[in-house]
Amino acid sequence: RENPREYELRGEPQMEHLNAERLGLKRAGNDLDRLGMHGDAILTALRAQGNTLKRTNSNLYSLNGVISTSNSIINAVRRTELVDRWLVLLGMLATTFLLGLLWWNIS
């Protein structure tokens, strides 16, 4: 009984088998090369995405600083607005009281 792993050149059918095997291995090698190139392209795209995400992250931190500053300014304006409302109200009451006193003293 013959061992199928032993390749002895015994005519044309054996050569065709070896040639087909060689072509199959060549195709497999080409497929592996294409797979490697595809993997490299994916890694390059992922690196580019990572860099984009890093820039976006730093921009968001910068924006967060600006927004927190803006929020503190808005809160200060709101406090000032509230104080101004009370001052106007007290001023109107004081003016009304003084005008009432003047009117009462004149009459």
Side-chain angles (χ1 to χ4, degrees), residues 23-105:
L23 289 175
L25 289 173
K26 186 176 180 180
R27 264 186 263 124
N30 290 338
D31 289 344
L32 285 174
D33 288 341
R34 277 194 301 268
L35 185 63
M37 289 189 302
H38 185 68
D40 286 342
I42 289 172
L43 287 176
T44 302
L46 287 174
R47 281 189 201 104
Q49 280 183 347
N51 291 334
T52 302
L53 288 174
K54 284 179 187 177
R55 283 193 309 272
T56 303
N57 193 19
S58 66
N59 289 341
L60 285 175
Y61 277 122
S62 174
L63 184 63
N64 186 25
V66 170
I67 288 174
S68 64
T69 303
S70 298
N71 283 339
S72 62
I73 291 171
I74 289 170
N75 289 334
V77 168
R78 285 182 182 159
R79 281 191 301 271
T80 305
E81 186 179 297
L82 182 64
V83 170
D84 288 348
R85 284 183 188 172
W86 281 105
L87 287 175
V88 168
L89 181 62
L90 290 175
M92 289 187 327
L93 288 174
T95 303
T96 304
F97 180 72
L98 287 175
L99 287 176
L101 277 178
L102 284 175
W103 181 71
W104 185 64
N105 284 335

Side-chain angles (χ1 to χ4, degrees), residues 6-19:
E6 291 179 10
Y7 296 108
E8 296 177 8
L9 301 177
R10 282 195 240 154
E12 197 63 30
Q14 188 67 25
M15 288 299 289
E16 287 177 14
H17 175 70
L18 290 175
N19 194 28

